[in-house]
Amino acid sequence: MTAFPLPPAMRRALDLAAVAAEAGEVPVGAVITLDGEIIAEARNAMRGTLDPTAHAEIVAIRHAATRLGRSRLDGCTLWVSLEPCAMCAAAIALARLDALRFAAPDPKGGGVDHGARIFAQPTCHHRPDVLGGIGEDEAAGQLKAFFQQRRRTNEKGATREGDAPISC
């Protein structure tokens, strides 16, 4: 079987996912392109920023909107290493991105092809063109390795920074 090279934007998203994993974040990277040029990129940063909304997609959308000076990202494509969750899918619709390209599906937490299926809801006013599976094997491998390592760490009784119980 012949393997085709990944589109450069997806290659970059997967590289950013690897950086996220090295930082202890779930390995997800996102890139936004306009006319084939990367205009914004981000990786998951929830733990490092203590911001539960700092998903790679959300951060990339914020950067792209700032760079373009507009809240609507018409003409743009979001490339992400994992199927977006419901929060990110809603942000994609609100930002009016033309297209979404993702690598690995997320049967547990996805909000596009799984779970809430945001773009299929009658209340969703914008539906981007969606294509998944681009670089799926690599993205799935990154996620599997990350969570295997996390389980090994937890089995040894180690805790991660920020995982202390919260008392009210």
Side-chain angles (χ1 to χ4, degrees), residues 46-127:
M46 286 101 49
R47 299 176 74 73
T49 61
L50 303 178
D51 177 359
T53 68
H55 292 203
E57 303 95 320
I58 299 289
V59 176
I61 288 169
R62 288 176 183 154
H63 289 321
T66 299
R67 179 165 180 190
L68 296 177
R70 61 183 201 226
S71 62
R72 300 248 170 125
L73 301 179
D74 302 300
C76 293
T77 299
L78 173 64
W79 302 80
V80 63
S81 60
L82 181 65
E83 175 186 347
C85 70
M87 174 184 71
C88 293
I92 290 163
L94 290 170
R96 304 298 198 262
L97 284 149
D98 280 3
L100 166 64
R101 305 292 182 250
F102 67 87
D106 188 355
K108 284 186 176 180
V112 177
D113 287 343
H114 299 89
R117 293 182 169 89
I118 295 296
F119 304 136
Q121 300 304 316
T123 54
C124 183
H125 299 293
H126 176 77
R127 291 166 183 84

